[in-house]
Amino acid sequence: MIRRMIISIGIMTSILAGGAHSQLGVAGEGGTAANLDISKRTFSIVWKHPMWEFSGSIDGDIANPRTAAGKDRIGTFREVLFDFRRGGRFRAGIRVYVKKTVVLFSCTCRDPVDRHPPYFPVFTGIPDNLGILTFSEHEFGAPPLFRTWSENGKEAQHHSGPLLLFDTNANACILSPASQFMVADIADTGLSLKCGLNAGIQKIPAGYTYRFIMAFGNGINQTWDRWGRVLTDLHGKKRPSNQADTGLKYLGYWTDNGADYYYHYDTALGYEGTLLALKRHYDSLRIPIRYMQLDSWWYAKGYDNPDGTYERAGKRIEALPESPWNRFGGLLQYEPPEDLFPKGVGGFHQLLELPLIAHNRWISRDSPYRQRYKISGIGAVDPRWWDTVMRTISSWGVRMYEQDWLDRIYNYSPDFPVTPAAAETFMDAMAAACKRNNMTMQYCMALPRHYLQGGARYSNLTTIRVSGDRFGKGRWKEFLYASQMAHALGIWPWCDVFMSSETPNILLATLSAGMVGIGDAMGTESLRNIFMSVRADGVIVKPDVPVVPTDRTYIDDLQGRGIRTASAFTDHGKSLKVIYLFAYADSPAHPPLAIDRSQLGGGGKVYVYDFFTGKGEEAGNDQTLQILGAGEEWSYHIVAPVLKSGIAFIGDAGKFVTCGKERIAELLETANGIRGTV
């Protein structure tokens, strides 16, 4: 009777003759299971659709093994719990969710720890020939890196973010930290995956818990979505909409690296006068910019590099005045010299009559802030500093704070990688101070760990830069893949500045479902492209979700093909889901690209409309779509379902996102056709 009851709730045991448990196991209803072999000190994770097994070892003798069941923010779970020793006492758990194909690992330090705690989980057996995508431990997580698991023996790599494992049928598993993101580490030796904390971490308090998660799914994009939703649910984050702030909702003007007015202006007008003249010029053309970004040029800086060297000491732009703003080092004081904005940023805001986005970088080693606030290396870990800064810039009309150089701040702030709390305090204090002052945040030059920390925890982190400075074709690949990671975590991607005349760049920015910001010099703007992206009032007409690589593209990139498709969509409900399909090739020397109708999801006939030629064709379930001609650099198609009436609704051909809800507010299929609200 007892045995039947245990099995009925998905908990399995094997009993030794002496009465001790040699094996424990728990299973969910979606085909995931966790098994623990006490005597061998091993565990396994099984997913049955397809049959994948991940096995591993435990570094210590197992004591007090048991099973339990419960419910957390992710859902109902069953788990295996056990204790072990390795220079201290630790408690570990493997939690399998009943309704979700998700497994959560945890390890808790029961005593204070002065040495590196054990890795858990440690995977030594992984299904053969899976493809692996990892994000680099560099700014923006770029470039994305592909290899197969069978390529063993490579130099060990360390990852702070997710690892995607997938097969050629697009079945997928994502492994990542689930907590302690700022010090989490996955050590990839080529033969094993060891999940734990950074090497060199010190003074871990009793009760400290680090967690890792695995999410499984049939379909790569589907698995990304499942993984991200689980993480934001676990941490209780409210995911912002794609119109959550002014920067997301409206067209804006950017003065960052690559824009025409980045450390450059009309010297007869001055910097302030040039930007005010630009606003008047745009008003005269009825170009509806609704905010302006102020990059690093506006505040006082020193001469030091993030690593503390001074090779650039004395360097400035010779054609511009010798002033603390005309430097390229760390932040001295977060305010402009009088020669730049005579009445300060607040005075400029009143003249401009637009909300502002304010950029910031690392803190200079010569900054007077160091005399008043606690700063580790080049990052402020004093909540008082953050409160003072955010309160001040909010009063100036700043509505979004952009923290740049996050990778350098992490790497050159000595406490950040090796103490449990320093980097997290930096991140928490920034988010809390912004929230108290009604500002949203944007991250720039983020490491994968920043994506996880901000994406899982901060509802006011609305956007993140996902590709390097000055958007262009050389950034498209990193933009698409990092957009997938950002979107999974509830952050809207921002591609960086471009010129409005660059049709594929403004198209991709619009398809990001995030920000659209231009950096043109006065008189060089493309009115046609701007109004293909936005309405007359400046509202961006965007898809529901960001454009991300199709499942097929992951497999093609693993195989080195260099031709990519990416899609976004607008879903008006029932059978009215319209797909926006972008394709491009790394090199012009490529054959034609065709995809199966089935790769776009759903069923039934669709109408495939070439946006720029105005031509289209109908395609059924078993048909192949030609979407990129030989030698063609890029293409853009609208894929609309053919309804029972025989009608396929493309939408507004005057907008890149033809059925965006900011333009087509509602669509309904009727008995004889379709009815819409514009």
Side-chain angles (χ1 to χ4, degrees):
M1 180 65 176
I2 294 175
R3 181 176 175 80
R4 285 199 299 272
M5 289 177 63
I6 292 173
I7 292 175
S8 72
I9 64 168
I11 298 175
M12 298 156 284
T13 67
S14 175
I15 311 297
L16 291 173
H21 292 201
S22 68
Q23 294 185 350
L24 292 177
V26 292
E29 295 176 3
T32 50
N35 303 294
L36 177 69
D37 191 308
I38 294 99
S39 60
K40 294 181 180 178
R41 301 190 304 184
T42 61
F43 70 92
S44 65
I45 304 298
V46 175
W47 180 41
K48 296 181 180 179
H49 309 292
M51 182 57 73
W52 286 358
E53 181 174 348
F54 296 78
S55 59
S57 58
I58 296 159
D59 188 9
D61 290 331
I62 295 172
N64 193 24
R66 58 209 182 275
T67 58
K71 186 175 182 179
D72 61 16
R73 286 172 170 166
I74 296 175
T76 304
F77 62 80
R78 299 158 183 161
E79 65 181 335
V80 175
L81 297 165
F82 59 93
D83 299 334
F84 68 100
R85 286 181 176 270
R86 204 213 70 177
R89 297 181 303 158
F90 299 90
R91 176 163 294 159
I94 307 175
R95 184 171 291 184
V96 173
Y97 288 87
V98 175
K99 299 292 186 181
K100 296 181 173 73
T101 51
V102 171
V103 179
L104 182 70
F105 299 87
S106 65
C107 186
T108 299
C109 304
R110 299 181 65 194
D111 303 311
V113 180
D114 290 329
R115 54 181 291 188
H116 190 273
Y119 286 102
F120 180 76
V122 176
F123 295 100
T124 54
I126 292 174
D128 288 336
N129 299 317
L130 293 183
I132 301 179
L133 166 67
T134 56
F135 293 91
S136 302
E137 291 301 312
H138 302 293
E139 59 203 56
F140 311 109
L145 301 171
F146 288 88
R147 70 177 180 90
T148 60
W149 180 247
S150 58
E151 296 174 12
N152 292 329
K154 296 200 169 201
E155 182 180 349
Q157 300 177 12
H158 293 268
H159 307 288
S160 65
L163 282 71
L164 167 73
L165 300 100
F166 60 98
D167 65 17
T168 54
N169 293 315
N171 300 303
C173 169
I174 296 176
L175 170 67
S176 83
S179 72
Q180 316 306 342
F181 304 112
M182 299 311 294
V183 291
D185 175 54
I186 300 177
D188 176 358
T189 69
L191 297 170
S192 66
L193 294 174
K194 301 164 61 176
C195 303
L197 303 179
N198 285 344
I201 196 164
Q202 303 169 9
K203 297 182 180 178
I204 299 172
Y208 189 85
T209 300
Y210 44 102
R211 294 181 288 184
F212 289 81
I213 198 163
M214 299 179 82
F216 299 89
N218 304 118
I220 295 171
N221 277 275
Q222 179 193 80
T223 308
W224 275 114
D225 289 344
R226 178 171 298 156
W227 166 80
R229 287 282 176 182
V230 163
L231 276 181
T232 55
D233 287 350
L234 180 64
H235 290 273
K237 172 187 168 175
K238 181 180 178 182
R239 299 165 72 101
S241 77
N242 64 7
Q243 294 192 347
D245 57 30
T246 297
L248 279 170
K249 187 172 183 177
Y250 296 106
L251 175 70
Y253 190 84
W254 287 70
T255 65
D256 60 339
N257 186 18
D260 195 81
Y261 298 117
Y262 175 73
Y263 288 88
H264 172 251
Y265 58 90
D266 184 333
T267 54
L269 297 175
Y271 224 138
E272 179 180 76
T274 300
L275 297 180
L276 293 173
L278 179 136
K279 173 61 164 51
R280 291 192 296 270
H281 171 72
Y282 278 14
D283 287 347
S284 71
L285 296 176
R286 297 187 178 180
I287 297 175
I289 59 168
R290 299 292 295 272
Y291 68 89
M292 184 174 286
Q293 184 259 7
L294 307 183
D295 209 73
S296 63
W297 51 265
W298 71 268
Y299 46 82
K301 297 174 290 295
Y303 293 116
D304 57 318
N305 296 319
D307 63 2
T309 60
Y310 284 81
E311 290 95 345
R312 300 179 73 176
K315 288 189 177 180
R316 62 182 180 86
I317 297 176
E318 294 295 334
L320 299 179
E322 186 172 353
S323 176
W325 66 264
N326 184 17
R327 299 174 185 169
F328 296 94
L331 172 73
L332 285 177
Q333 289 188 289
Y334 204 44
E335 56 187 55
E338 289 186 4
D339 62 309
L340 192 67
F341 289 131
K343 294 185 178 180
V345 175
F348 171 68
H349 163 66
Q350 291 178 351
L351 295 171
L352 186 69
E353 297 182 309
L354 289 176
L356 301 174
I357 295 176
H359 173 282
N360 201 2
R361 52 174 58 190
W362 71 94
I363 296 176
S364 171
R365 289 170 174 79
D366 302 317
S367 171
Y369 290 134
R370 295 178 179 278
Q371 300 170 17
R372 289 177 282 162
Y373 304 107
K374 184 179 180 181
I375 296 168
S376 170
I378 55 176
V381 291
D382 192 330
R384 296 176 304 141
W385 185 86
W386 290 104
D387 284 337
T388 299
V389 165
M390 298 310 164
R391 184 170 58 250
T392 300
I393 65 174
S394 175
S395 72
W396 294 345
V398 174
R399 294 296 171 259
M400 175 184 282
Y401 174 75
E402 178 191 2
Q403 182 61 66
D404 200 354
W405 298 86
L406 280 166
D407 65 323
R408 293 348 187 249
I409 293 172
Y410 185 83
N411 289 327
Y412 294 111
S413 296
D415 293 334
F416 282 23
V418 297
T419 62
E424 188 166 316
T425 299
F426 170 86
M427 302 291 284
D428 283 350
M430 182 200 313
C434 285
K435 184 177 180 180
R436 280 192 289 270
N437 289 280
N438 299 311
M439 287 189 293
T440 56
M441 299 185 296
Q442 179 181 105
Y443 290 172
C444 188
M445 294 176 67
L447 298 170
R449 67 176 74 253
H450 295 110
Y451 283 75
L452 287 163
Q453 175 78 14
R457 295 190 53 185
Y458 309 134
S459 299
N460 60 335
L461 174 64
T462 56
T463 64
I464 189 168
R465 275 273 306 280
V466 293
S467 54
D469 292 356
R470 183 56 169 94
F471 194 48
K473 186 179 179 183
R475 309 290 192 194
W476 291 356
K477 180 180 178 181
E478 64 192 68
F479 159 74
L480 292 171
Y481 281 109
S483 290
Q484 179 70 278
M485 175 167 58
H487 173 59
L489 291 163
I491 324 170
W492 296 97
W494 163 227
C495 64
D496 198 35
V497 73
F498 49 85
M499 303 306 171
S500 62
S501 59
E502 298 162 359
T503 301
N505 290 335
I506 192 171
L507 167 62
L508 282 171
T510 307
L511 291 175
S512 77
M515 305 176 95
V516 176
I518 57 176
D520 302 284
M522 285 180 277
T524 65
E525 53 282 318
S526 168
L527 290 173
R528 179 179 181 275
N529 280 349
I530 289 171
F531 287 105
M532 295 281 266
S533 176
V534 307
R535 299 187 324 205
D537 60 358
V539 172
I540 306 164
V541 182
K542 57 176 61 176
D544 294 352
V545 298
V547 62
V548 297
T550 60
D551 286 0
R552 182 71 233 178
T553 295
Y554 282 85
I555 298 163
D556 287 344
D557 264 325
L558 178 66
Q559 298 169 349
R561 291 194 64 202
I563 304 178
R564 298 178 188 91
T565 54
S567 66
F569 63 81
T570 301
D571 191 349
H572 282 283
K574 295 186 178 179
S575 57
L576 290 166
K577 183 176 182 179
V578 176
I579 296 171
Y580 313 105
L581 186 65
F582 185 85
Y584 80 99
D586 286 339
S587 167
H590 67 85
L593 173 64
I595 64 171
D596 295 334
R597 159 72 183 90
S598 60
Q599 292 180 35
L600 300 176
K605 293 181 179 179
V606 294
Y607 190 79
V608 184
Y609 175 77
D610 188 318
F611 185 87
F612 289 100
T613 68
K615 298 177 181 179
E617 61 179 335
E618 191 175 284
N621 284 338
D622 58 348
Q623 289 183 265
T624 298
L625 312 177
Q626 299 291 330
I627 59 170
L628 192 66
E632 190 177 8
E633 186 177 4
W634 59 275
S635 67
Y636 180 51
H637 292 80
I638 312 298
V639 183
V642 177
L643 305 178
K644 294 177 182 178
S645 61
I647 294 173
F649 185 77
I650 301 300
D652 183 353
K655 292 288 182 282
F656 290 132
V657 179
T658 55
C659 282
K661 293 171 183 173
E662 297 80 9
R663 177 68 174 142
I664 310 297
E666 184 181 43
L667 281 181
L668 294 171
E669 184 176 8
T670 66
N672 299 315
I674 191 168
R675 183 174 72 243
T677 303
V678 179

